[in-house]
Amino acid sequence: SSELTQDPAVSVALGQTVRITCQGDSLRSYYATWYQQKPGQAPVLVIYGKNNRPSGIPDRFSGSNSGNTASLTITGAQAEDEADYYCNSRDSSGNHLVFGGGTKLTVL
Amino acid sequence: EVQLVESGGGLVQPGGSLRLSCAASGFTFSSYWMHWVRQAPGKGLVWVSHIDSDGSSTSYADSVKGRFTISRDNAKNTLYLQMKSLRAEDTAVYYCARDKGYYYDTSGGHWVMAFDIWGQGTKVTVSS
């Protein structure tokens, strides 16, 4: 079992706002990193650190953190945002890296 | 263009061995930590191993420790994963990923890490 917990599935209406969460004790010390993965493709980094977007990631993606919970928010979700989203951090010992179980986002 | 290209995957019998390679281009390979991440069919991402920039420090997930060995050849800009005593549960797509850098964000009071470049993956199937 993962030390980072994500809801398995979330849905959002086109153009609406959705929040995907990730919980884990290690998030009190380590920022969650967020990746988007579409079917048959490699993961893509979307958010890292406090709230940093790599070049090319739309500004509708944002990140936040509070206590042991990290959130990825998509403001004005688009059809192309339908994908699996994974959070990533270190485990509670700090020695190993872990991923959350992933959240499948459906855009209705 | 910054790129990672994995190779070496295939079908192997339980108990067998396989060596994966990840060829890097478009950046100074020797300056970056690197990782292997795998994904079993229909499942989520699982971190496998990391190696620091000069190969002097490595770490492994408990599930592969003692069976897998990560290494790199900075002269050839290539990352490797030697896999031995393979099991059915090692069946997965294996990705190599570049570590953007691990640092402490003093303003936020948290550590920062990220895998900013990923390869396309190579498929490993362990089956008789």
Side-chain angles (χ1 to χ4, degrees):
Chain A
S1 63
S2 174
E3 294 192 31
L4 297 177
T5 302
Q6 297 182 242
D7 291 329
V10 171
S11 62
V12 61
L14 184 66
Q16 297 303 300
T17 297
V18 63
R19 178 176 294 178
I20 298 169
T21 61
C22 174
Q23 287 190 305
D25 287 341
S26 65
L27 299 181
R28 297 183 186 278
S29 302
Y30 301 92
Y31 284 120
T33 303
W34 292 95
Y35 302 92
Q36 176 194 70
Q37 186 181 35
K38 296 181 179 179
Q41 297 184 19
V44 172
L45 175 66
V46 293
I47 292 288
Y48 68 97
K50 196 170 187 178
N51 182 19
N52 301 305
R53 283 177 291 105
S55 173
I57 301 301
D59 61 5
R60 62 179 179 273
F61 289 89
S62 63
S64 62
N65 304 268
S66 179
N68 73 336
T69 301
S71 300
L72 173 69
T73 300
I74 307 174
T75 304
Q78 301 300 301
E80 61 263 33
D81 299 334
E82 186 161 290
D84 294 326
Y85 290 86
Y86 294 91
C87 62
N88 165 235
S89 180
R90 288 191 173 264
D91 65 8
S92 53
S93 73
N95 294 326
H96 293 154
L97 294 160
V98 290
F99 286 89
T103 297
K104 182 176 182 61
L105 175 67
T106 300
V107 179
L108 304 172
Chain B
E1 179 190 6
V2 175
Q3 197 173 10
L4 296 171
V5 178
E6 301 95 337
S7 60
L11 175 63
V12 61
Q13 292 188 339
S17 299
L18 209 57
R19 189 177 83 157
L20 306 183
S21 299
C22 168
S25 59
F27 65 98
T28 305
F29 178 69
S30 60
S31 297
Y32 290 87
W33 291 16
M34 297 293 296
H35 300 260
W36 287 98
V37 175
R38 70 185 182 183
Q39 186 170 35
K43 302 297 185 181
L45 300 173
V46 176
W47 173 79
V48 173
S49 180
H50 114 276
I51 187 167
D52 69 358
S53 56
D54 65 3
S56 61
S57 177
T58 61
S59 64
Y60 300 90
D62 290 343
S63 59
V64 306
K65 196 167 187 178
R67 300 187 300 121
F68 290 11
T69 302
I70 191 172
S71 63
R72 64 192 298 160
D73 185 336
N74 285 342
K76 295 183 177 179
N77 292 332
T78 303
L79 174 72
Y80 302 101
L81 186 68
Q82 177 69 52
M83 304 185 295
K84 298 180 178 179
S85 304
L86 283 162
R87 307 165 180 167
E89 54 265 36
D90 296 318
T91 294
V93 173
Y94 285 74
Y95 297 100
C96 61
R98 188 179 82 169
D99 192 317
K100 181 177 173 61
Y102 180 53
Y103 62 93
Y104 188 74
D105 177 359
T106 54
S107 67
H110 281 54
W111 288 93
V112 180
M113 49 151 288
F115 302 157
D116 63 343
I117 305 295
W118 294 67
Q120 85 290 348
T122 187
K123 185 175 181 179
V124 172
T125 302
V126 183
S127 175
S128 55

